[in-house]
Amino acid sequence: MRLNQIYQTLLEHFGKQHWWPAETRFEVIIGAILIQQTNWIAVERAIENLKSEGLLNPTSLATASLERVQRLIRNLNFYRQKARRIVNFSRHLVERHDGSLDKLFGKSIEEVRKELLSLDGIGKETADSILLYAADMLVFPVDAYTVKMCERLGCKDLRYEELRNLFERSLPEDLEVYKEFHALIDKLGKMYCKSKPRCSSCPLTDECGFKSS
Ligand code: SF4
């Protein structure tokens, strides 16, 4: 799988995606937790609700009541669980790092990743999205779109860490490439490489051995 070539092809086809769409690093993190098992339009609405009530900062969210946060994000799947998760993350940030993302991110990639993974509701994909898009660390998040594209391009049965290592070994050490490539793969997954793929119009059709009927 020629990842650099795939990146160039997707970039030429779709153009830059400018991810992550957020005004602050804290907003990136809250978005990364809320996006699980839902769509981005719903997350944007939930984030706007939190923002309009002045809760999109660590101190305010850490002290907000769960009922209030649940009400503001109730348009999301699993909103009760997600309200608890974003409040818990904020409390952790305030109690352990004085509410400072600089302090949270001021360690090695592995140390920050381990800390994020210890928190409720932050799995590998969410942790790695936070590391890349909020902490500006060179980590490639592997989501369901990435797994599907890789399987169809011939990399089957690789575990999360193996796929992540494959991208990190193959790509130049360039944050913009990491950020754009992850976003471009999601675009490909939403437009072409779906459960029922649209191979005849896909930009990767020359690269890809998998062909839908
Ligand atoms: S050619 Fe088909 S299977 Fe291959 S990446 Fe494109 S949509 Fe997916």
Side-chain angles (χ1 to χ4, degrees), residues 175-187:
L175 273 174
E176 190 178 333
V177 172
Y178 276 47
K179 289 179 179 182
E180 284 298 333
F181 200 6
H182 178 68
L184 287 163
I185 292 171
D186 278 27
K187 186 91 175 174

Side-chain angles (χ1 to χ4, degrees), residues 32-202:
I33 296 171
L34 296 183
I35 190 65
Q36 297 166 15
Q37 294 165 297
T38 192
N39 64 70
W40 185 249
I41 292 172
V43 172
E44 274 184 327
R45 223 175 94 204
I47 283 180
E48 279 312 310
N49 290 344
L50 292 167
K51 224 182 257 182
S52 69
E53 298 224 359
L55 292 186
L56 211 55
N57 65 79
T59 318
S60 305
L61 199 50
T63 51
S65 73
L66 267 184
E67 292 71 24
R68 185 177 175 205
V69 178
Q70 284 174 6
R71 179 173 54 78
L72 293 170
I73 68 166
R74 70 180 165 218
N75 64 310
L76 300 175
N77 299 334
F78 309 108
Y79 69 93
R80 287 191 182 87
Q81 195 181 55
K82 288 177 179 176
R84 194 182 67 240
R85 288 172 176 178
I86 60 176
V87 168
N88 283 348
F89 173 80
S90 305
R91 286 179 184 161
H92 177 86
L93 188 60
V94 169
E95 286 163 14
R96 296 286 181 87
H97 302 286
D98 304 322
S100 164
L101 288 174
D102 285 339
K103 287 187 182 172
L104 169 65
F105 295 148
K107 291 176 283 183
S108 71
I109 291 177
E110 283 316 313
E111 284 173 307
V112 182
R113 191 168 193 256
K114 194 171 166 195
E115 184 172 340
L116 290 173
L117 288 173
S118 74
L119 301 175
D120 174 38
I122 301 190
K124 290 177 182 174
E125 180 193 332
T126 305
D128 290 344
S129 296
I130 291 170
L131 291 170
L132 177 61
Y133 290 104
D136 279 347
M137 290 176 169
L138 274 174
V139 176
F140 199 89
V142 175
D143 63 3
Y145 293 120
T146 311
V147 173
K148 186 169 284 177
M149 181 195 82
C150 290
E151 283 182 352
R152 288 174 170 170
L153 267 77
C155 285
K156 291 189 197 306
D157 302 325
L158 293 186
R159 288 174 301 177
Y160 185 97
E161 302 296 347
E162 292 171 320
L163 273 175
R164 183 188 144 199
N165 288 337
L166 176 67
F167 278 80
E168 292 176 5
R169 275 198 322 269
S170 307
L171 298 177
E173 292 185 0
D174 183 330
L175 273 174
E176 190 178 333
V177 172
Y178 276 47
K179 289 179 179 182
E180 284 298 333
F181 200 6
H182 178 68
L184 287 163
I185 292 171
D186 278 27
K187 186 91 175 174
L188 177 86
K190 284 174 188 150
M191 290 190 65
Y192 299 105
C193 204
K194 308 167 177 218
S195 306
K196 196 173 173 195
R198 295 173 52 215
C199 299
S200 57
S201 45
C202 173

